[in-house]
Amino acid sequence: MKFTFIPQVEKQKSDLLVIPFWEGPKAAADYGSFQLEGLLDFTGKNGETCFCYEKGERILLIGLGKQEAATIEALRKAYSSVVRATQAKKIKHIAVLFPKCKQKEEFFQGLVEGLLLTSYSFTYKKHALKENPIVLLEKVTLIGIEETALLAKLETICTGVHFVRDLINANADEKTEQLISAAKKLHPKIKTTIFNKKKLEDEKMGLILAVNRSSTVDPCLIQSAYRGNPKSKEHIVLVGKGVTYDTGGLSLKPTDGMLTMKCDMSGAATVLGAVKIAAELGLKVNVTALAPVTENCIGSKSYKLGDVYHSYSGKTVEINNTDAEGRLILADALSYAVENLKPTYMIDLATLTGACVVALGEDIAGLFSNNDTLAEELLESSDRTDELIWRLPIHNEYKDSFKSEIADLVNSGGREAGATKAAIFLQEFVGETPWAHLDIAGPAYLSKPKHYNPTKGTGHCVRLLVDFLQRQSQNSTTEKNR
């Protein structure tokens, strides 16, 4: 999508003119040379659209909601409605009047992100597209605002979100190869190392290997490192669950439960996307993405209930639920990071528990942490990006649920407080490292498209992580200048 800027309010040739309105009674809208009279049924509620025609010109009215309640998120949602309306009419070029407001930078961000994040499609349709092709916006002319350097940053971030969505939405059979291929070409300044099955065996990553036992596709551990501040000892490690398809193993999921399981590698895609964007923005941070990747299949070689497997950390784990596989592969990756990468902060992201979806729904991810400073930083990034997270407790008395008679711990503590107990299991493998766990099971893959998420795969928490990394970069620069 190409943006052009016209600082003065004047008519421009386009397929569609978009005129914004705040909610409330109005008899006319005056934008200099643009005037519309008698908007009888249009109220200006957020996301409300209305096509009209003035002297042969096609116009779309877009409601922004109440001006006093306007936020960046409200603008994102409003302008996502613009994209959906243009797609329905197969429109490629729009001219958009910038709304009258005082917070120009914030409103510019909401407008641009609403357009960019919604202008995305993913499909395997062939024949149907010949008759009804998907048309995305190609050109946007912004009227009434000067060009700003913020645009390039927003384009980089939104393109990164699309990168993550592509990986999530792809066929499960293609994902391992796609994740490896994508990781190898993230950015020239990112060094990627792929630990193949032989390397995982040499490193004694027994939990990843156990989950993979019945798959015909070998597992791997992807490590993608960006050194944006090589003189600093600060090192942020992002660990993402990469289960490319989850049958539940011998603890077999019902059919409906498997239908969305190609999304179970959303954490891996998200951490790769965040490191990619950090490099493209040139952030002054040292950050590594670590993604354990495997299928969890069912077959004669499936890892067994009641058997005990050795983790990278040396702790032994008795399997009492093979559908609690995500925490197993994360455990090996987390303990590897602690021992070898020496993180100052470590954040893992995973579509980990249905319990978190029951607790928080599809809009909000669960946050668990052993460090209040890190948790607060992530909550601030959530507020700034509107990618919602909510801190839930790590109640250490629940550790008793993981006692085993023959191993150091079992891998599932039961259904009650399932999201919290999953976090408690992961905490066993992070030592004293400041750590946070984001359970993105709800918002990573929606039951149906919503607002500026036009497909089920969302890329949720990509923007949050980038904001977190940006502020770490700013803090590093401030410290250097003191």
Side-chain angles (χ1 to χ4, degrees):
M1 185 187 304
K2 180 180 180 181
F3 285 84
T4 57
F5 295 80
I6 307 297
Q8 295 77 27
V9 177
E10 58 187 44
K11 291 191 176 182
Q12 296 293 316
K13 186 177 180 181
S14 67
D15 300 329
L16 176 71
L17 172 65
V18 180
I19 300 181
F21 286 90
W22 299 111
E23 184 177 353
K26 51 184 76 64
D30 188 354
Y31 285 88
S33 41
F34 300 96
Q35 289 191 350
L36 291 173
E37 301 292 338
L39 306 175
L40 298 177
D41 298 322
F42 183 75
T43 65
K45 289 183 179 179
N46 186 275
E48 181 183 4
T49 58
C50 178
F51 278 99
C52 59
Y53 300 86
E54 182 80 9
K55 297 179 181 179
E57 186 171 15
R58 183 162 50 185
I59 297 170
L60 178 67
L61 312 183
I62 175 65
L64 305 182
K66 295 186 181 296
Q67 187 168 6
E68 62 273 18
T71 62
I72 295 174
E73 178 71 353
L75 270 288
R76 287 190 197 102
K77 291 178 178 178
Y79 283 94
S80 71
S81 297
V82 170
V83 176
R84 289 192 296 275
T86 60
Q87 287 178 340
K89 300 285 187 182
K90 311 296 184 188
I91 292 170
K92 298 181 180 180
H93 176 200
I94 62 174
V96 181
L97 285 174
F98 193 77
K100 294 181 177 180
C101 59
K102 294 180 180 179
Q103 309 97 319
K104 282 197 171 183
E105 183 171 301
E106 291 86 348
F107 281 22
F108 177 79
Q109 178 179 344
L111 185 159
V112 170
E113 287 185 336
L115 296 177
L116 288 174
L117 291 172
T118 317
S119 294
Y120 171 83
S121 69
F122 187 97
T123 183
Y124 287 106
K125 290 182 178 181
K126 295 294 183 184
H127 179 73
L129 287 183
K130 292 180 181 179
E131 299 177 356
N132 186 25
I134 296 171
V135 174
L136 298 178
L137 282 175
E138 295 178 359
K139 184 178 180 182
V140 176
T141 301
L142 291 175
I143 302 172
I145 184 171
E146 294 183 349
E147 186 169 358
T148 167
L150 179 59
L151 175 64
K153 172 184 165 183
L154 297 177
E155 288 178 318
T156 298
I157 294 172
C158 292
T159 300
V161 173
H162 293 170
F163 163 87
V164 173
R165 289 172 173 175
D166 282 345
L167 290 170
I168 296 170
N169 288 321
N171 281 343
D173 281 342
E174 304 165 1
K175 286 184 183 290
T176 297
E177 183 179 344
Q178 287 186 353
L179 284 166
I180 292 172
S181 175
K184 287 180 176 179
K185 51 188 178 185
L186 289 173
H187 191 274
K189 292 185 178 180
I190 294 175
K191 180 182 178 181
T192 291
T193 305
I194 308 296
F195 292 17
N196 60 18
K197 185 176 181 178
K198 177 64 166 60
K199 178 67 173 176
L200 296 180
E201 291 170 343
D202 292 343
E203 293 286 349
K204 295 182 171 54
M205 294 193 177
L207 300 184
I208 297 176
L209 292 165
V211 174
N212 181 256
R213 279 171 58 98
S214 196
S215 175
T216 59
V217 180
D218 282 351
C220 67
L221 180 68
I222 299 172
Q223 179 177 305
S224 295
Y226 166 64
R227 298 280 292 174
N229 191 9
K231 294 183 179 179
S232 172
K233 294 182 180 180
E234 298 291 315
H235 186 198
I236 299 165
V237 176
L238 307 176
V239 183
K241 173 186 172 183
V243 175
T244 59
Y245 192 76
D246 182 18
T247 66
L250 293 176
S251 304
L252 189 66
K253 293 178 183 289
T255 301
D256 289 348
M258 276 189 254
L259 189 59
T260 62
M261 283 301 100
K262 70 177 185 178
C263 82
D264 215 14
M265 38 57 68
S266 296
T270 301
V271 299
L272 290 175
V275 172
K276 172 183 172 67
I277 296 169
E280 289 175 345
L281 293 178
L283 300 185
K284 302 297 183 183
V285 291
N286 302 320
V287 57
T288 297
L290 203 60
V293 177
T294 181
E295 294 177 321
N296 183 25
C297 295
I298 185 168
S300 61
K301 294 184 178 181
S302 293
Y303 72 119
K304 308 296 193 295
L305 292 151
D307 279 0
V308 175
Y309 296 90
H310 292 260
S311 70
Y312 176 86
S313 71
K315 292 180 180 179
T316 55
V317 181
E318 179 188 358
I319 305 303
N320 63 356
N321 185 348
T322 63
D323 196 23
E325 86 298 330
R327 66 196 67 181
L328 295 175
I329 69 171
L330 286 172
D332 273 352
L334 290 168
S335 51
Y336 173 84
V338 170
E339 182 171 331
N340 297 279
L341 304 181
K342 310 301 181 187
T344 47
Y345 280 148
M346 186 161 60
I347 304 165
D348 78 74
L349 293 92
T351 47
L352 205 62
T353 66
C356 201
V357 186
V358 172
L360 300 176
E362 287 192 334
D363 291 344
I364 307 170
L367 164 66
F368 303 84
S369 184
N370 65 0
N371 184 276
D372 290 341
T373 300
L374 175 57
E376 287 300 319
E377 290 274 2
L378 292 171
L379 288 166
E380 286 181 25
S381 288
S382 172
D383 287 341
R384 288 162 58 91
T385 59
D386 298 291
E387 294 203 297
L388 302 180
I389 61 175
W390 188 265
R391 191 174 186 184
L392 295 168
I394 297 178
H395 186 53
N396 286 320
E397 287 193 16
Y398 290 159
K399 283 185 179 180
D400 289 345
S401 302
F402 293 94
K403 287 183 177 179
S404 167
E405 294 181 358
I406 59 173
D408 293 316
L409 64 166
V410 295
N411 73 315
S412 176
R415 296 185 64 181
E416 298 84 2
T420 288
K421 288 179 179 177
I424 289 171
F425 180 88
L426 294 178
Q427 188 176 226
E428 290 293 306
F429 299 88
V430 302
E432 300 300 316
T433 302
W435 156 81
H437 161 58
L438 290 171
D439 191 333
I440 59 174
Y445 199 78
L446 304 179
S447 55
K448 58 182 179 181
K450 187 175 182 181
H451 298 307
Y452 46 82
N453 291 305
T455 60
K456 293 182 178 180
T458 64
H460 187 86
C461 279
V462 172
R463 292 184 294 111
L464 182 154
L465 288 178
V466 172
D467 182 83
F468 171 78
L469 295 173
Q470 284 178 316
R471 289 188 294 118
Q472 299 303 309
S473 175
Q474 292 165 359
N475 292 342
S476 174
T477 302
T478 301
E479 289 292 328
K480 182 179 178 180
N481 293 335
R482 283 180 180 174

